[in-house]
Structure formats: C-alpha cells, structure tokens
Amino acid sequence: MTRILHTGDTHLGYQQYHRSERREDFRTAFEQVAADAVADDVDAVVHAGDLFHDRQPRLGDILGALSILRRLAEADVPFLAVVGNHESKRSEQWLDLFESMELATRLGERPVVVGNVAVYGLDFVPRSQREALEYSFEPHDADHAALVSHGLFEPFEHGDWDAREILAEATVDFDAMLVGDDHEAKTKQLDAFDSWLTYCGSTERASAAERDGRGYNIVEFDDGVDIRRRGIETREFVFVDVELEPGEGSERVRERIDQYDLSESVVIVRITGEGEPVMPAGLEEYAADRDALVTRVNDQREFEDETEAEVSFADPDEAVRQRVQEMGLSPAAREIDETIRASKVADSNVADTVERRLREFADDADRGAFETADGDGSDSEGTETQVTMEDYL
C-alpha cells in the first residue's frame, strides 16, 4: 500500500486584508501539513499547484517555503508538485529552483514512482493552449498511476477543462487525478474511466466565500483508491449572518456580533432583510473593540436615496456600464472591465484572471478582440485608444 498526502493552493505570501498576520497564517497552515506528513510517515507529499500566491514572492516567503521543504527532505518525504496559475512564469519556475536544490520534484510526462504508484504531472495550461495538448505520458510498470494537475475541471460545476477528455486521450490509464485550483475539497468517481477526480482544497481561506474548514487529502493506493479528508487548525473565521426585520438596524447587528467570541478572528458580517441602513465602519470598529483581527461587513441590500433625484446606491454601477458602452471598447477590454467590476471571481484571483485572459487573447492572435467598437482600434474621435495591463491591475 502507498499513502500520499495530497495538498495544494497554499498561496504562500498572500497578505489577505493587508494584514501581516494573515500572510503568516498561510505559512503556518502549510507548516501544519508538512508536520502531519512527517508524523504520519506518508510515502510522499504531492502539491497540486499555487504554492505561492503570485509570481514574485517576497524573500521571506521563499525562505519560509524552503524551511518547510527542508523539513520534509530531512524526514525522507518526497515533495512532488506542479505549477499553478498564480505562480506560473514564462521562464524558469520557482519549483525548478527547489528541484535544483534537491528539495522538490517537478512532475511531468515522465513517471515518478512512489511505492506502487507512478505519479505524473500536468501544470496549469491556459484555455487557449489546451486544444494543442496531446496528453502523452511515458509508460510505467507500477500497479497504479496518478495524475497531479491544476485547473477547474469538469464534470464539477464551474469547470472549464474536461477531466474526462484528459482521461480518454491520455496514453496512461490513471487511477486518480489529484488536482488543485478549486479551494473547496470535493471528490467524484468517474465510473466510465474507473478513476477518481479529487480536489484537496486550500490550506487557508483565501476569500470569505470559503466557509468550510481547511485541510488536505490522504490518498491510499492498494487494491483500489481510498481518499480521506483531514482537517487542520487555521485562524478562526466568524461568519455573522443577520437578516434584519423592518425597523431593525445597527443595534440588532451588534447584538448578533455579541453572540460570538471574536478574539483574533476574521469576522465576516453578512446583512440581508428589510431593516434600516447600517454603517459598516461603525460595525467594524465595534468588532475591533472586541479584539477581532479584521472585520468585513457585506450588506447585500439596496436602498433608494430619499432625494428628489431618486438615485439608488446601484446607480453608480449603471452609470459606469453606460460610460463603458459609450467608450466603444474592444471585446477584450470589455471582458476585462466586466471581470474587475462585476464578476464573481474571488478578490484574490482578480489580478491573475485579468492577466490570464489578456495572455489568452494574445496567444489566440485574435486581432478582432483588440479592435474597438468602431472596428479600427481607435476611439470615436479618431484618437488612438491604448489599454495596458497596468490600467487594470
């Protein structure tokens, strides 16, 4: 039997909410995973991408990663990994540096045999480049095979890369795909291929939408494949959901906040209902006085401004949309604008999503995508319209 610890989306270096404590939390979570791997004497740790939060991590984050990898190496626990979209660079990857130091192995088309399992890797690939992929992997003589990759895979919801296509076209039969990118842990058996598709989830919460506990997978290969979830201790997120009745307002929200121990916690207040308008700043200060590390108030309601102009809080967005239409932006620029203003992409992923789509437009060589609505790459007055990535990031 071979036991593999499957982790990913550690996002080292992410200073969430602009707090240094949150940057440390991401490292601490990964340290816990490594400590568990050593204590449990697993046969290998596989990392499914996004070791770092961005392509240019700070020196302290690099040194933190090196310290964790050295601990695994000293315990003879191999660290096998692929490159995720957050950390991917056009040139040599950080993972290549760690491999040159004999602290990691970058997985690819050649098998890395661990016990009775041949482990392969497939880095994150932009959508524009996937049609050219041949999914060609070198043969092996192990009892089992696993593919480690990074992306949003169908048949899971929101997937844009079909795992079934990979399994059908691959030159190796995989018993499991151990994947990253989706921060929520989920597992599905793909009966038609006698294989499993499993996300390990992130090791820390990268957005307020990630309510479930964090952790990793333990995957055992024996007569079959057994996948089990293990949790880790991370900083407490306190989710305060308040549905205000007519006449209720900030006082009711404070009453709900008082029901929780906020000490050193990240507090997420979500307000719905028909009550009175509230002042987020006042509620955030109230939680801070109760030792919350950071508080965010998300009032999901809309109110009309009781002025003669009858301008609603939603009107500024509508004005922006109208102005965007008047500008005659190219399809590429309009999509980037929509990504930043109105998409449901997690805050931590917006910059990466923008850069990824710009690269895909460029890789597709679709010149029409960069033409303005006037069709000539200029604005309505004939002046050149130049939009750069820095305008968006």
Side-chain angles (χ1 to χ4, degrees):
M1 180 183 71
T2 299
R3 297 172 67 248
I4 290 177
L5 189 154
H6 168 213
T7 189
D9 292 291
T10 44
H11 289 275
L12 299 179
Y14 183 26
Q15 189 159 304
Q16 191 182 36
Y17 307 121
H18 307 288
R19 298 298 297 259
S20 60
E21 294 93 337
R22 290 299 290 149
R23 177 187 291 270
E24 295 171 3
D25 289 344
F26 281 83
R27 186 187 69 248
T28 299
F30 190 31
E31 287 174 345
Q32 286 188 58
V33 174
D36 287 355
V38 173
D40 290 350
D41 194 26
V42 299
D43 294 296
V45 171
V46 299
H47 192 291
D50 284 354
L51 175 65
F52 292 110
H53 185 65
D54 56 46
R55 296 168 180 81
Q56 296 180 332
R58 296 182 181 179
L59 177 60
D61 302 316
I62 298 171
L63 294 177
L66 285 171
S67 176
I68 295 170
L69 297 185
R70 285 195 180 99
R71 180 174 185 178
L72 291 173
E74 291 169 357
D76 292 324
V77 178
F79 182 80
L80 319 176
V82 296
V83 177
N85 56 296
H86 267 256
E87 63 206 342
S88 178
K89 300 187 293 182
R90 290 186 179 273
S91 57
E92 189 175 28
Q93 309 297 327
W94 289 107
L95 191 55
D96 297 325
L97 171 63
F98 299 150
E99 185 170 43
S100 71
M101 302 172 69
E102 299 184 346
L103 295 175
T105 298
R106 183 178 177 182
L107 295 168
E109 63 185 17
R110 296 180 178 179
V112 176
V113 178
V114 178
N116 63 347
V117 184
V119 187
Y120 297 80
L122 180 61
D123 293 337
F124 173 81
V125 180
R127 275 186 290 182
S128 61
Q129 300 176 20
R130 292 173 192 167
E131 290 186 5
L133 294 178
E134 297 182 352
Y135 303 115
S136 178
F137 301 93
E138 295 184 3
H140 68 90
D141 57 5
D143 296 333
H144 301 278
L147 177 63
V148 183
S149 191
H150 189 91
L152 298 178
F153 291 97
E154 299 177 6
F156 286 122
E157 189 178 4
H158 306 308
D160 59 16
W161 193 356
D162 200 333
R164 295 161 296 191
E165 178 182 338
I166 297 174
L167 294 171
E169 297 185 11
T171 55
V172 167
D173 293 329
F174 293 111
D175 299 278
M177 288 182 62
L178 313 180
V179 295
D181 200 14
D182 192 325
H183 289 190
E184 297 300 324
K186 55 188 66 171
T187 299
K188 184 183 291 290
Q189 187 170 15
L190 304 179
D191 294 327
F193 301 95
D194 192 22
S195 184
W196 293 85
L197 176 66
T198 181
Y199 281 98
C200 54
S202 64
T203 53
E204 247 294 359
R205 291 181 177 89
S207 81
E210 299 167 16
R211 294 201 170 199
D212 292 341
R214 303 293 94 185
Y216 56 85
N217 288 341
I218 292 291
V219 186
E220 295 183 353
F221 296 87
D222 197 0
D223 294 333
V225 180
D226 181 71
I227 303 169
R228 301 188 182 186
R229 176 75 173 165
R230 286 189 180 177
I232 59 175
E233 294 293 328
T234 59
R235 184 178 296 276
E236 184 75 18
F237 268 55
V238 174
F239 297 95
V240 182
D241 296 325
V242 187
E243 183 176 0
L244 294 179
E245 299 293 334
E248 294 181 334
S250 296
E251 182 60 33
R252 175 55 181 158
V253 179
R254 288 193 289 268
E255 290 176 359
R256 290 283 290 117
I257 289 175
D258 284 340
Q259 296 177 10
Y260 298 87
D261 178 7
L262 308 186
S263 179
E264 295 301 314
S265 297
V266 175
V267 181
I268 307 297
V269 181
R270 176 177 172 270
I271 302 174
T272 58
E274 301 178 359
E276 302 297 323
V278 301
M279 297 297 293
L283 294 172
E284 292 173 2
E285 182 178 357
Y286 185 79
D289 289 341
R290 281 146 186 79
D291 296 326
L293 176 69
V294 63
T295 302
R296 291 293 182 269
V297 177
N298 178 14
D299 193 339
Q300 299 189 332
R301 305 166 299 162
E302 292 184 355
F303 297 95
E304 290 187 356
D305 189 352
E306 297 180 358
T307 64
E308 293 183 1
E310 295 185 355
V311 178
S312 75
F313 285 106
D315 282 345
D317 286 338
E318 180 60 29
V320 170
R321 283 191 288 270
Q322 292 178 2
R323 177 55 182 152
V324 168
Q325 293 176 354
E326 294 169 0
M327 290 172 65
L329 296 178
S330 67
R334 288 198 303 271
E335 178 170 337
I336 300 304
D337 169 78
E338 182 68 17
T339 297
I340 295 173
R341 286 192 305 103
S343 79
K344 295 183 179 180
V345 175
D347 291 346
S348 62
N349 294 333
V350 168
D352 184 74
T353 300
V354 169
E355 182 171 351
R356 185 194 314 174
R357 290 301 293 136
L358 286 175
R359 284 184 177 179
E360 289 176 356
F361 280 127
D363 292 342
D364 288 341
D366 182 4
R367 298 188 63 84
F370 293 98
E371 292 183 357
T372 66
D374 296 330
D376 61 359
S378 61
D379 62 22
S380 59
E381 297 181 357
T383 58
E384 183 178 359
T385 301
Q386 184 177 16
V387 181
T388 66
M389 189 180 301
E390 285 74 13
D391 293 327
Y392 290 102
L393 301 183

